[in-house]
Short mmCIF file of all heavy atoms in Angstrom, two decimals:
data_model
loop_
_atom_site.label_atom_id
_atom_site.label_comp_id
_atom_site.label_asym_id
_atom_site.label_seq_id
_atom_site.Cartn_x
_atom_site.Cartn_y
_atom_site.Cartn_z
N PHE A 111 -25.04 -23.93 -10.23
CA PHE A 111 -23.73 -23.31 -10.25
C PHE A 111 -22.85 -24.04 -11.33
O PHE A 111 -22.13 -23.36 -12.05
CB PHE A 111 -23.08 -23.41 -8.91
CG PHE A 111 -23.37 -22.25 -8.07
CD1 PHE A 111 -24.21 -22.40 -6.93
CD2 PHE A 111 -22.92 -20.98 -8.34
CE1 PHE A 111 -24.54 -21.33 -6.15
CE2 PHE A 111 -23.24 -19.91 -7.58
CZ PHE A 111 -24.09 -20.07 -6.48
N LEU A 112 -22.95 -25.35 -11.38
CA LEU A 112 -22.19 -26.11 -12.42
C LEU A 112 -22.51 -25.69 -13.80
O LEU A 112 -21.64 -25.38 -14.64
CB LEU A 112 -22.43 -27.62 -12.23
CG LEU A 112 -21.50 -28.33 -11.26
CD1 LEU A 112 -21.91 -29.81 -11.13
CD2 LEU A 112 -20.06 -28.28 -11.78
N VAL A 113 -23.80 -25.66 -14.11
CA VAL A 113 -24.31 -25.26 -15.44
C VAL A 113 -23.85 -23.87 -15.77
O VAL A 113 -23.23 -23.59 -16.81
CB VAL A 113 -25.81 -25.40 -15.59
CG1 VAL A 113 -26.30 -24.81 -16.87
CG2 VAL A 113 -26.20 -26.89 -15.44
N ALA A 114 -24.12 -22.95 -14.80
CA ALA A 114 -23.75 -21.51 -15.03
C ALA A 114 -22.28 -21.44 -15.21
O ALA A 114 -21.81 -20.71 -16.08
CB ALA A 114 -24.22 -20.72 -13.79
N GLY A 115 -21.47 -22.19 -14.42
CA GLY A 115 -20.06 -22.11 -14.52
C GLY A 115 -19.51 -22.54 -15.84
O GLY A 115 -18.64 -21.85 -16.41
N SER A 116 -20.08 -23.62 -16.35
CA SER A 116 -19.54 -24.07 -17.65
C SER A 116 -19.96 -23.21 -18.80
O SER A 116 -19.19 -22.98 -19.72
CB SER A 116 -19.98 -25.53 -17.88
OG SER A 116 -21.44 -25.63 -17.84
N ALA A 117 -21.17 -22.60 -18.67
CA ALA A 117 -21.60 -21.68 -19.71
C ALA A 117 -20.71 -20.45 -19.73
O ALA A 117 -20.29 -19.95 -20.75
CB ALA A 117 -23.05 -21.26 -19.50
N TYR A 118 -20.34 -20.02 -18.51
CA TYR A 118 -19.51 -18.88 -18.35
C TYR A 118 -18.15 -19.19 -18.98
O TYR A 118 -17.55 -18.37 -19.66
CB TYR A 118 -19.31 -18.71 -16.80
CG TYR A 118 -18.64 -17.47 -16.34
CD1 TYR A 118 -19.23 -16.23 -16.58
CD2 TYR A 118 -17.43 -17.54 -15.67
CE1 TYR A 118 -18.62 -15.10 -16.14
CE2 TYR A 118 -16.78 -16.39 -15.22
CZ TYR A 118 -17.47 -15.15 -15.43
OH TYR A 118 -16.81 -14.07 -15.02
N GLY A 119 -17.63 -20.38 -18.72
CA GLY A 119 -16.30 -20.76 -19.27
C GLY A 119 -16.30 -20.87 -20.77
O GLY A 119 -15.32 -20.61 -21.41
N ALA A 120 -17.42 -21.22 -21.39
CA ALA A 120 -17.51 -21.46 -22.77
C ALA A 120 -17.39 -20.20 -23.57
O ALA A 120 -16.76 -20.12 -24.62
CB ALA A 120 -18.82 -22.17 -23.14
N ALA A 121 -18.00 -19.08 -23.04
CA ALA A 121 -17.94 -17.79 -23.72
C ALA A 121 -16.48 -17.39 -23.76
O ALA A 121 -15.76 -17.52 -22.84
CB ALA A 121 -18.78 -16.78 -23.00
N LYS A 122 -16.04 -16.77 -24.87
CA LYS A 122 -14.70 -16.31 -25.02
C LYS A 122 -14.49 -15.10 -24.10
O LYS A 122 -15.28 -14.16 -24.23
CB LYS A 122 -14.42 -15.92 -26.46
CG LYS A 122 -13.97 -17.12 -27.25
CD LYS A 122 -13.47 -16.62 -28.62
CE LYS A 122 -13.28 -17.74 -29.61
NZ LYS A 122 -13.20 -17.28 -30.95
N GLN A 123 -13.47 -15.16 -23.31
CA GLN A 123 -13.29 -14.11 -22.32
C GLN A 123 -11.87 -13.96 -21.91
O GLN A 123 -11.20 -15.01 -21.70
CB GLN A 123 -14.20 -14.39 -21.13
CG GLN A 123 -14.04 -13.48 -20.00
CD GLN A 123 -14.83 -14.05 -18.77
OE1 GLN A 123 -15.99 -14.29 -18.86
NE2 GLN A 123 -14.08 -14.21 -17.71
N ILE A 124 -11.38 -12.70 -21.81
CA ILE A 124 -10.03 -12.57 -21.27
C ILE A 124 -10.12 -11.63 -20.05
O ILE A 124 -11.06 -10.85 -19.96
CB ILE A 124 -9.00 -12.08 -22.27
CG1 ILE A 124 -9.48 -10.77 -22.89
CG2 ILE A 124 -8.76 -13.07 -23.35
CD1 ILE A 124 -8.49 -10.04 -23.77
N VAL A 125 -9.13 -11.69 -19.23
CA VAL A 125 -9.10 -10.81 -18.06
C VAL A 125 -7.91 -9.82 -18.21
O VAL A 125 -6.78 -10.23 -18.52
CB VAL A 125 -8.94 -11.61 -16.74
CG1 VAL A 125 -8.84 -10.70 -15.55
CG2 VAL A 125 -10.08 -12.61 -16.60
N LEU A 126 -8.22 -8.55 -17.96
CA LEU A 126 -7.18 -7.50 -18.07
C LEU A 126 -7.00 -6.92 -16.73
O LEU A 126 -7.96 -6.50 -16.06
CB LEU A 126 -7.63 -6.44 -19.14
CG LEU A 126 -6.91 -5.12 -19.07
CD1 LEU A 126 -5.49 -5.21 -19.55
CD2 LEU A 126 -7.67 -4.08 -19.82
N SER A 127 -5.72 -6.81 -16.29
CA SER A 127 -5.50 -6.15 -15.02
C SER A 127 -4.99 -4.72 -15.34
O SER A 127 -4.00 -4.53 -15.97
CB SER A 127 -4.49 -6.94 -14.22
OG SER A 127 -4.07 -6.18 -13.14
N SER A 128 -5.74 -3.75 -14.84
CA SER A 128 -5.47 -2.36 -15.07
C SER A 128 -5.31 -1.55 -13.82
O SER A 128 -5.34 -2.13 -12.73
CB SER A 128 -6.55 -1.80 -16.01
OG SER A 128 -6.27 -0.53 -16.38
N TRP A 129 -5.21 -0.22 -13.94
CA TRP A 129 -4.83 0.56 -12.80
C TRP A 129 -5.95 1.28 -12.04
O TRP A 129 -5.67 2.20 -11.30
CB TRP A 129 -3.76 1.61 -13.24
CG TRP A 129 -2.46 1.01 -13.54
CD1 TRP A 129 -2.00 0.70 -14.82
CD2 TRP A 129 -1.47 0.46 -12.67
NE1 TRP A 129 -0.79 0.09 -14.75
CE2 TRP A 129 -0.43 -0.08 -13.46
CE3 TRP A 129 -1.41 0.39 -11.31
CZ2 TRP A 129 0.71 -0.68 -12.91
CZ3 TRP A 129 -0.26 -0.15 -10.72
CH2 TRP A 129 0.77 -0.68 -11.50
N GLY A 130 -7.16 0.89 -12.27
CA GLY A 130 -8.28 1.48 -11.47
C GLY A 130 -8.57 2.94 -11.82
O GLY A 130 -7.95 3.53 -12.69
N GLY A 131 -9.60 3.43 -11.10
CA GLY A 131 -9.94 4.89 -11.26
C GLY A 131 -10.26 5.31 -12.68
O GLY A 131 -10.77 4.57 -13.44
N THR A 132 -9.96 6.60 -12.94
CA THR A 132 -10.23 7.20 -14.27
C THR A 132 -9.54 6.45 -15.38
O THR A 132 -10.01 6.30 -16.49
CB THR A 132 -9.75 8.64 -14.30
OG1 THR A 132 -9.77 9.16 -13.01
CG2 THR A 132 -10.56 9.47 -15.19
N TYR A 133 -8.30 6.03 -15.02
CA TYR A 133 -7.46 5.30 -16.03
C TYR A 133 -8.21 4.13 -16.53
O TYR A 133 -8.40 3.96 -17.72
CB TYR A 133 -6.16 4.87 -15.33
CG TYR A 133 -5.12 4.25 -16.22
CD1 TYR A 133 -4.17 5.04 -16.73
CD2 TYR A 133 -5.21 2.90 -16.54
CE1 TYR A 133 -3.17 4.46 -17.62
CE2 TYR A 133 -4.23 2.31 -17.38
CZ TYR A 133 -3.25 3.11 -17.88
OH TYR A 133 -2.33 2.53 -18.68
N GLU A 134 -8.73 3.29 -15.61
CA GLU A 134 -9.42 2.06 -15.97
C GLU A 134 -10.71 2.43 -16.72
O GLU A 134 -11.09 1.76 -17.74
CB GLU A 134 -9.73 1.27 -14.69
CG GLU A 134 -10.21 -0.07 -14.95
CD GLU A 134 -10.31 -0.89 -13.63
OE1 GLU A 134 -9.23 -1.02 -13.00
OE2 GLU A 134 -11.42 -1.26 -13.28
N LYS A 135 -11.40 3.42 -16.26
CA LYS A 135 -12.68 3.84 -16.94
C LYS A 135 -12.40 4.13 -18.40
O LYS A 135 -13.15 3.78 -19.28
CB LYS A 135 -13.29 5.02 -16.22
CG LYS A 135 -14.54 4.71 -15.39
CD LYS A 135 -15.20 5.97 -14.92
CE LYS A 135 -14.74 6.27 -13.45
NZ LYS A 135 -15.02 7.60 -13.01
N ASN A 136 -11.31 4.91 -18.68
CA ASN A 136 -11.01 5.26 -20.03
C ASN A 136 -10.51 4.12 -20.86
O ASN A 136 -10.73 4.06 -22.07
CB ASN A 136 -9.99 6.38 -20.03
CG ASN A 136 -10.69 7.73 -19.76
OD1 ASN A 136 -11.67 8.07 -20.37
ND2 ASN A 136 -10.23 8.40 -18.73
N VAL A 137 -9.76 3.15 -20.21
CA VAL A 137 -9.35 1.94 -20.90
C VAL A 137 -10.64 1.20 -21.39
O VAL A 137 -10.75 0.77 -22.58
CB VAL A 137 -8.50 1.04 -20.04
CG1 VAL A 137 -8.36 -0.37 -20.68
CG2 VAL A 137 -7.11 1.62 -19.79
N ILE A 138 -11.62 1.13 -20.52
CA ILE A 138 -12.85 0.44 -20.85
C ILE A 138 -13.56 1.13 -22.02
O ILE A 138 -13.98 0.50 -23.03
CB ILE A 138 -13.76 0.33 -19.62
CG1 ILE A 138 -13.09 -0.63 -18.63
CG2 ILE A 138 -15.15 -0.15 -20.00
CD1 ILE A 138 -13.85 -0.69 -17.23
N LYS A 139 -13.64 2.47 -21.95
CA LYS A 139 -14.35 3.22 -22.96
C LYS A 139 -13.66 3.18 -24.31
O LYS A 139 -14.31 2.98 -25.32
CB LYS A 139 -14.53 4.67 -22.47
CG LYS A 139 -15.92 5.24 -22.82
CD LYS A 139 -16.17 6.52 -22.09
CE LYS A 139 -15.79 7.72 -23.00
NZ LYS A 139 -15.82 9.04 -22.24
N ALA A 140 -12.36 3.35 -24.28
CA ALA A 140 -11.65 3.51 -25.60
C ALA A 140 -11.23 2.17 -26.14
O ALA A 140 -11.12 2.05 -27.41
CB ALA A 140 -10.43 4.38 -25.34
N MET A 141 -10.99 1.22 -25.30
CA MET A 141 -10.44 -0.07 -25.81
C MET A 141 -11.28 -1.27 -25.60
O MET A 141 -11.58 -1.97 -26.56
CB MET A 141 -9.06 -0.26 -25.18
CG MET A 141 -8.06 0.79 -25.64
SD MET A 141 -6.63 0.89 -24.56
CE MET A 141 -5.67 2.14 -25.46
N VAL A 142 -11.76 -1.52 -24.35
CA VAL A 142 -12.42 -2.73 -24.00
C VAL A 142 -13.80 -2.81 -24.75
O VAL A 142 -14.07 -3.76 -25.43
CB VAL A 142 -12.65 -2.85 -22.53
CG1 VAL A 142 -13.61 -3.91 -22.18
CG2 VAL A 142 -11.26 -3.10 -21.89
N GLU A 143 -14.61 -1.77 -24.59
CA GLU A 143 -15.99 -1.85 -25.19
C GLU A 143 -15.96 -1.91 -26.73
O GLU A 143 -16.65 -2.81 -27.26
CB GLU A 143 -16.81 -0.68 -24.70
CG GLU A 143 -17.33 -0.94 -23.27
CD GLU A 143 -17.97 0.26 -22.64
OE1 GLU A 143 -18.04 1.36 -23.22
OE2 GLU A 143 -18.43 0.11 -21.46
N PRO A 144 -15.22 -1.11 -27.43
CA PRO A 144 -15.16 -1.27 -28.91
C PRO A 144 -14.62 -2.60 -29.32
O PRO A 144 -15.05 -3.17 -30.32
CB PRO A 144 -14.23 -0.13 -29.36
CG PRO A 144 -14.08 0.78 -28.20
CD PRO A 144 -14.38 0.04 -26.95
N PHE A 145 -13.67 -3.15 -28.55
CA PHE A 145 -13.09 -4.46 -28.87
C PHE A 145 -14.14 -5.53 -28.69
O PHE A 145 -14.28 -6.42 -29.58
CB PHE A 145 -11.86 -4.71 -27.98
CG PHE A 145 -11.30 -6.08 -28.09
CD1 PHE A 145 -10.49 -6.46 -29.14
CD2 PHE A 145 -11.53 -7.02 -27.10
CE1 PHE A 145 -9.97 -7.76 -29.28
CE2 PHE A 145 -10.95 -8.31 -27.20
CZ PHE A 145 -10.22 -8.68 -28.30
N GLU A 146 -14.92 -5.50 -27.60
CA GLU A 146 -15.89 -6.46 -27.41
C GLU A 146 -16.92 -6.50 -28.53
O GLU A 146 -17.35 -7.47 -29.01
CB GLU A 146 -16.61 -6.21 -26.06
CG GLU A 146 -15.76 -6.60 -24.85
CD GLU A 146 -16.47 -6.31 -23.53
OE1 GLU A 146 -17.35 -5.44 -23.51
OE2 GLU A 146 -16.09 -6.89 -22.48
N LYS A 147 -17.32 -5.21 -28.93
CA LYS A 147 -18.27 -5.07 -29.98
C LYS A 147 -17.78 -5.62 -31.32
O LYS A 147 -18.49 -6.33 -32.00
CB LYS A 147 -18.58 -3.55 -30.16
CG LYS A 147 -20.00 -3.32 -30.66
CD LYS A 147 -20.25 -1.80 -30.81
CE LYS A 147 -21.04 -1.19 -29.63
NZ LYS A 147 -21.06 0.28 -29.77
N GLU A 148 -16.48 -5.45 -31.63
CA GLU A 148 -15.94 -5.86 -32.85
C GLU A 148 -15.73 -7.38 -32.88
O GLU A 148 -15.94 -8.02 -33.93
CB GLU A 148 -14.61 -5.14 -33.14
CG GLU A 148 -14.10 -5.41 -34.54
CD GLU A 148 -12.83 -4.68 -34.83
OE1 GLU A 148 -12.90 -3.42 -34.88
OE2 GLU A 148 -11.79 -5.26 -34.93
N THR A 149 -15.21 -7.98 -31.78
CA THR A 149 -14.79 -9.35 -31.83
C THR A 149 -15.71 -10.31 -31.11
O THR A 149 -15.63 -11.57 -31.34
CB THR A 149 -13.40 -9.55 -31.18
OG1 THR A 149 -13.52 -9.08 -29.82
CG2 THR A 149 -12.41 -8.68 -31.88
N GLY A 150 -16.56 -9.83 -30.26
CA GLY A 150 -17.44 -10.70 -29.42
C GLY A 150 -16.65 -11.33 -28.30
O GLY A 150 -17.20 -12.11 -27.50
N ILE A 151 -15.40 -11.04 -28.16
CA ILE A 151 -14.63 -11.52 -27.03
C ILE A 151 -14.82 -10.60 -25.81
O ILE A 151 -14.63 -9.39 -25.93
CB ILE A 151 -13.11 -11.60 -27.34
CG1 ILE A 151 -12.88 -12.52 -28.57
CG2 ILE A 151 -12.32 -12.14 -26.16
CD1 ILE A 151 -11.48 -12.41 -29.12
N LYS A 152 -15.24 -11.18 -24.72
CA LYS A 152 -15.51 -10.38 -23.55
C LYS A 152 -14.20 -10.10 -22.80
O LYS A 152 -13.32 -10.96 -22.68
CB LYS A 152 -16.43 -11.14 -22.64
CG LYS A 152 -17.44 -10.19 -21.93
CD LYS A 152 -18.43 -10.83 -21.06
CE LYS A 152 -18.53 -10.06 -19.75
NZ LYS A 152 -18.28 -8.62 -19.78
N VAL A 153 -14.08 -8.84 -22.31
CA VAL A 153 -12.94 -8.52 -21.48
C VAL A 153 -13.34 -8.11 -20.06
O VAL A 153 -14.12 -7.20 -19.88
CB VAL A 153 -12.11 -7.32 -22.12
CG1 VAL A 153 -10.87 -7.03 -21.35
CG2 VAL A 153 -11.76 -7.64 -23.59
N VAL A 154 -12.88 -8.93 -19.11
CA VAL A 154 -13.15 -8.56 -17.71
C VAL A 154 -11.99 -7.72 -17.18
O VAL A 154 -10.87 -8.08 -17.31
CB VAL A 154 -13.30 -9.83 -16.86
CG1 VAL A 154 -13.50 -9.50 -15.42
CG2 VAL A 154 -14.40 -10.71 -17.42
N VAL A 155 -12.33 -6.53 -16.65
CA VAL A 155 -11.23 -5.68 -16.19
C VAL A 155 -11.16 -5.71 -14.66
O VAL A 155 -12.19 -5.59 -14.01
CB VAL A 155 -11.46 -4.21 -16.68
CG1 VAL A 155 -10.27 -3.37 -16.28
CG2 VAL A 155 -11.68 -4.19 -18.15
#
Side-chain angles (χ1 to χ4, degrees):
Chain A
F111 273 110
L112 270 177
V113 172
S116 55
Y118 190 64
K122 275 190 193 164
Q123 172 187 307
I124 57 172
V125 178
L126 163 70
S127 170
S128 184
W129 291 101
T132 332
Y133 186 95
E134 191 173 298
K135 252 188 264 166
N136 282 308
V137 167
I138 293 173
K139 220 167 93 188
M141 294 163 175
V142 169
E143 281 171 357
F145 173 76
E146 286 177 338
K147 210 181 258 172
E148 188 179 292
T149 60
I151 301 168
K152 217 179 134 30
V153 182
V154 177
V155 186

